C-alpha cells in the first residue's frame, strides 16, 4: 500500500470524504512514480490524502479538494494504463490545465505523436498548447509559434522537420536564426565566420542531436540534406522541397522577415518561432515577428499558435521565473 499525504499543517479542517478510483491494469511504478513522487505531488497540490491499495486509488479530503483532484488522478491512471510515462512537472501541468478547462481524455492512439524512425524516439506533446502547435504544423504551410522559453517551440518544430524528411515528404531541412548580439559582441568571438555564428545556432544542433544518431546527423549536414545557417545566408535563394525553420524570429527585422517568407518554394513548409518578450534588436518595434502578427493573420494557409507558461516543459522554476518577470513588467508599466 502507498499512502501519500499533504505537507503537515496544510490539511483542510473541512469534513473529509473518500473517493475511490479503479487503478486496475495500471503500471504501478508509472502511476506512483519513483519513491511515490507522483502520488506525493497529487497529495501536496490537491491538499488531500492519496492511497494506492489493491488496484484502487483512494482520495481523501475536503469535498472541493477531492472534486478538483479527481480529473487529474483519472488522467494519471489512464496514462499508466497505456504505459505512457510522465513526470512531476507533468502532474503540476495537469493541475494547471484542469484549473482552466476540463481535461481532455487520454486517447489510446495519440494522433499528435511524432515517431522518429532510425532514432527510435517517440515525441509526444505534453500540453494542449503543444498539441495545437503540432496539429497546426500538419495542416498549414506556414506556422508561427509564439510563446515564452521552454514551451517546446523549436524542439517540436525540429521534430516535425525530421519526421517529414524521414517520410520523404521533403528533400532537405533548413534551420536558421538571426545572428543578433544579445549583450555580447559577435566580433570578439574567436575563429572564422562559421566559428563566430555557430554559438548562435547551437540550440538547433542540440535539438537535432537529440533526434538523430550522431553519424546520420553528420552525414546529413555534410551532404546539405540538413543545413543550419544564419538568416542572412537565405537571401536570394528559392527553397523548394524543404522544411524551413526560422528560430528566434523576434530578432529578425521586418526586412529580414519578408526576405525569409518569400524564399518559400514549391512543396515547402515553414515554421517560425519566437518570444516577443526577448527582443534583442536595438529598436524592438522593428521586429519582423511583431509585424507579421498584424499583417498575415488573415492569410489562408498561415496559422498562429500562442503558447503560454502552462506549456513550459523545462524545470518547474522556469514557469515561475516567466511569471515573475511578467508580474514585474506589468507592475513597471503601471508605475510609469
Amino acid at each position: 500500500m502507498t499512502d501519500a499525504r499533504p505537507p503537515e499543517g496544510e490539511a483542510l479542517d473541512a469534513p473529509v470524504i473518500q473517493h475511490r478510483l479503479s487503478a486496475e491494469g495500471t503500471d504501478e511504478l508509472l502511476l506512483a512514480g519513483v519513491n511515490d513522487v507522483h502520488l506525493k505531488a497529487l497529495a501536496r497540490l490537491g491538499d488531500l490524502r492519496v492511497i494506492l491499495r489493491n488496484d484502487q486509488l483512494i482520495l481523501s479530503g475536503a469535498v472541493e479538494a477531492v472534486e478538483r483532484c479527481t480529473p487529474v488522478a483519472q488522467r494519471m491512471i489512464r496514462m499508466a494504463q497505456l504505459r505512457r510515462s510522465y513526470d512531476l512537472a507533468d502532474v503540476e501541468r495537469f493541475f494547471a490545465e484542469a484549473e482552466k478547462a476540463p481535461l481532455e481524455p487520454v486517447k489510446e492512439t495519440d494522433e499528435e505523436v511524432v515517431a522518429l524512425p532510425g532514432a527510435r524516439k517517440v515525441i509526444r506533446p505534453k500540453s494542449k498548447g503543444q498539441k495545437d502547435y503540432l496539429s497546426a504544423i500538419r495542416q498549414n504551410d506556414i506556422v508561427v509559434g509564439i510563446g515564452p522559453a521552454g514551451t517546446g517551440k523549436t524542439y517540436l518544430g525540429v521534430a516535425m522537420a525530421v519526421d517529414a524528411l524521414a517520410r520523404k515528404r521533403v528533400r532537405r531541412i533548413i534551420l536558421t536564426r538571426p545572428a543578433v548580439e544579445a549583450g555580447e559582441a559577435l566580433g570578439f568571438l574567436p575563429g572564422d565566420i562559421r566559428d563566430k555564428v555557430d554559438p548562435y545556432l547551437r540550440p538547433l544542433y542540440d535539438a537535432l542531436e537529440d533526434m538523430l544518431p550522431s553519424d546520420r546527423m553528420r552525414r546529413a549536414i555534410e551532404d546539405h540534406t540538413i543545413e543550419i545557417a544564419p538568416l542572412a545566408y537565405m537571401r536570394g535563394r528559392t527553397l523548394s522541397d524543404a522544411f524551413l525553420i526560422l528560430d528566434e524570429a523576434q530578432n529578425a527585422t521586418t526586412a529580414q522577415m519578408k526576405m525569409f517568407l518569400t524564399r518559400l518554394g514549391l512543396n515547402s513548409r515553414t515554421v517560425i518561432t519566437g518570444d516577443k518578450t526577448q527582443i534583442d534588436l536595438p529598436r524592438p518595434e522593428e521586429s519582423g515577428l511583431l509585424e507579421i502578427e498584424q499583417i498575415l493573420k488573415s492569410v489562408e494557409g498561415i496559422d498562429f499558435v500562442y503558447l503560454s507558461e502552462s506549456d513550459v516543459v523545462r524545470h518547474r522554476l522556469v514557469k515561475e521565473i516567466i511569471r515573475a518577470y511578467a508580474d514585474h513588467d506589468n507592475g513597471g508599466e503601471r508605475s510609469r
Side-chain angles (χ1 to χ4, degrees), residues 206-333:
D206 290 343
L208 281 173
E209 288 171 355
D210 196 45
M211 299 173 195
L212 290 173
S214 57
D215 58 336
R216 183 179 170 192
M217 176 180 162
R218 185 181 63 255
R219 289 196 304 270
I221 291 176
E222 288 174 352
D223 64 18
H224 301 292
T225 301
I226 297 177
E227 181 179 348
I228 305 176
L231 179 58
Y233 285 29
M234 299 297 107
R235 189 173 299 279
R237 304 175 64 184
T238 299
L239 304 171
S240 302
D241 291 313
F243 198 116
L244 289 72
I245 297 179
L246 171 58
D247 193 32
E248 297 289 334
Q250 75 276 2
N251 289 327
T253 65
T254 56
Q256 287 176 323
M257 182 65 76
K258 183 178 179 181
M259 177 273 291
F260 174 78
L261 287 170
T262 53
R263 300 307 94 201
L264 192 65
L266 297 175
N267 190 41
S268 289
R269 288 178 175 264
T270 296
V271 171
I272 297 170
T273 72
D275 179 356
K276 294 188 293 184
T277 68
Q278 294 191 21
I279 300 175
D280 298 314
L281 294 170
R283 294 170 59 90
E285 65 273 12
E286 294 181 353
S287 169
L289 182 65
L290 300 181
E291 183 180 59
I292 63 169
E293 190 181 15
Q294 301 301 318
I295 66 177
L296 297 182
K297 272 201 168 182
S298 60
V299 177
E300 187 175 352
I302 301 178
D303 196 9
F304 287 76
V305 179
Y306 293 89
L307 300 161
S308 67
E309 64 183 39
S310 63
D311 300 302
V312 171
V313 294
R314 291 181 184 169
H315 192 286
R316 67 174 184 82
L317 286 177
V318 173
K319 188 181 301 184
E320 299 300 324
I321 290 168
I322 291 169
R323 184 180 295 123
Y325 268 96
D327 291 343
H328 174 78
D329 291 343
N330 291 336
E333 289 174 4

Side-chain angles (χ1 to χ4, degrees), residues 125-142:
K126 289 180 171 289
S127 67
K128 184 180 184 304
Q130 290 191 347
K131 288 180 182 179
D132 293 343
Y133 183 49
L134 289 182
S135 178
I137 294 174
R138 286 192 171 96
Q139 297 173 20
N140 297 273
D141 289 336
I142 298 178

Side-chain angles (χ1 to χ4, degrees), residues 38 58 91 127 146 168 172 257 286:
H38 297 161
I58 305 169
V91 177
S127 67
I146 299 175
K168 301 187 184 304
R172 55 182 170 164
M257 182 65 76
E286 294 181 353

Side-chain angles (χ1 to χ4, degrees), residues 83-156:
R83 304 302 190 266
R84 294 186 189 170
S85 61
Y86 57 94
D87 56 26
L88 177 59
D90 291 323
V91 177
E92 295 174 344
R93 188 159 42 252
F94 298 159
F95 271 96
E97 290 179 7
E99 289 178 358
K100 296 180 179 179
L103 290 177
E104 295 181 356
V106 180
K107 300 176 182 177
E108 288 190 29
T109 55
D110 194 344
E111 297 174 355
E112 291 84 8
V113 68
V114 182
L116 301 177
R120 297 181 179 178
K121 189 177 185 69
V122 175
I123 297 172
R124 288 186 172 90
K126 289 180 171 289
S127 67
K128 184 180 184 304
Q130 290 191 347
K131 288 180 182 179
D132 293 343
Y133 183 49
L134 289 182
S135 178
I137 294 174
R138 286 192 171 96
Q139 297 173 20
N140 297 273
D141 289 336
I142 298 178
V143 172
V144 183
I146 299 175
T151 51
K153 304 183 299 297
T154 303
Y155 188 84
L156 293 176

